[in-house]
Amino acid sequence: GSIIFGGGQVVLPMLQSEVVPAWMSKDNFFQGLALAQSMPGPLFNFSAYLGAVYKGIPGALIAYLGLFGPGVILIFAVVPFWARLRHVFWFKVVLNGVNATAIGLVGAACVILWEAAISNSADAIVFCFSGSLATVFGIQAPIAIIAGGVLGAILSNDVANLGQLSF
């Protein structure tokens, strides 16, 4: 939790390399991630999922606190200084640079996750469709996820069998 800046997606490639295949399969990892993304606080829920898969309820609690705790401590450490710092010119410049870096880290995380999660054309179609619904058309994430699931089911081997060739 202490290394996350730019959103939880920045830490996903590291999480994947640490828990797959030691704790779970790649499919279980991405299924849990998809489920967590449909809820508020997705990475906190995902950390609890990873902990629960590994060590049950105690693992879920420890993983949740491990991700949530450092951020809370950091907030309480900065709050006394924030009122003064937010008006300091050089601090604003530093924050702009850190925010730009975070955007780059999120983009890099998306590329890494794409390489790990997309194995055929149908996966790519569902990813682009769901992502476009959420980002371009402003559809809420749960609806975009359900629509992606429906499209994925239609493209599956059992229904239309489209786009199933591996890259």
Side-chain angles (χ1 to χ4, degrees):
S2 60
I3 63 169
I4 297 175
F5 194 90
Q9 288 71 15
V10 170
V11 80
L12 284 175
M14 182 190 70
L15 275 175
Q16 182 186 1
S17 68
E18 293 294 324
V19 302
V20 175
W23 297 3
M24 65 186 64
S25 70
K26 182 175 117 177
D27 287 342
N28 285 347
F29 180 87
F30 286 113
Q31 289 167 357
L33 178 60
L35 179 62
Q37 290 293 323
S38 67
M39 296 182 274
L43 261 294
F44 295 110
N45 293 324
F46 188 54
S47 70
Y49 167 79
L50 295 176
V53 168
Y54 186 59
K55 291 289 182 179
I57 299 296
L61 291 172
I62 290 170
Y64 186 84
L65 291 174
L67 188 68
F68 189 69
V72 170
I73 293 168
L74 184 62
I75 287 170
F76 283 117
V78 171
V79 163
F81 309 105
W82 182 250
R84 193 177 83 222
L85 279 177
R86 69 183 184 160
H87 299 293
V88 176
F89 176 75
W90 67 265
F91 187 73
K92 289 182 188 179
V93 171
V94 168
L95 280 181
N96 284 338
V98 170
N99 285 332
T101 302
I103 291 169
L105 290 172
V106 170
C110 290
V111 170
I112 291 168
L113 288 173
W114 171 277
E115 292 172 347
I118 306 300
S119 61
N120 58 40
S121 299
D123 292 344
I125 291 167
V126 170
F127 175 86
C128 292
F129 173 73
S130 298
S132 296
L133 285 178
T135 58
V136 176
F137 298 106
I139 304 295
Q140 293 186 359
I143 295 169
I145 291 168
I146 291 168
V150 169
L151 179 60
I154 292 169
L155 297 176
S156 72
N157 289 331
D158 296 329
V159 181
N161 195 22
L162 296 173
Q164 299 302 319
L165 296 176
S166 297
F167 288 144

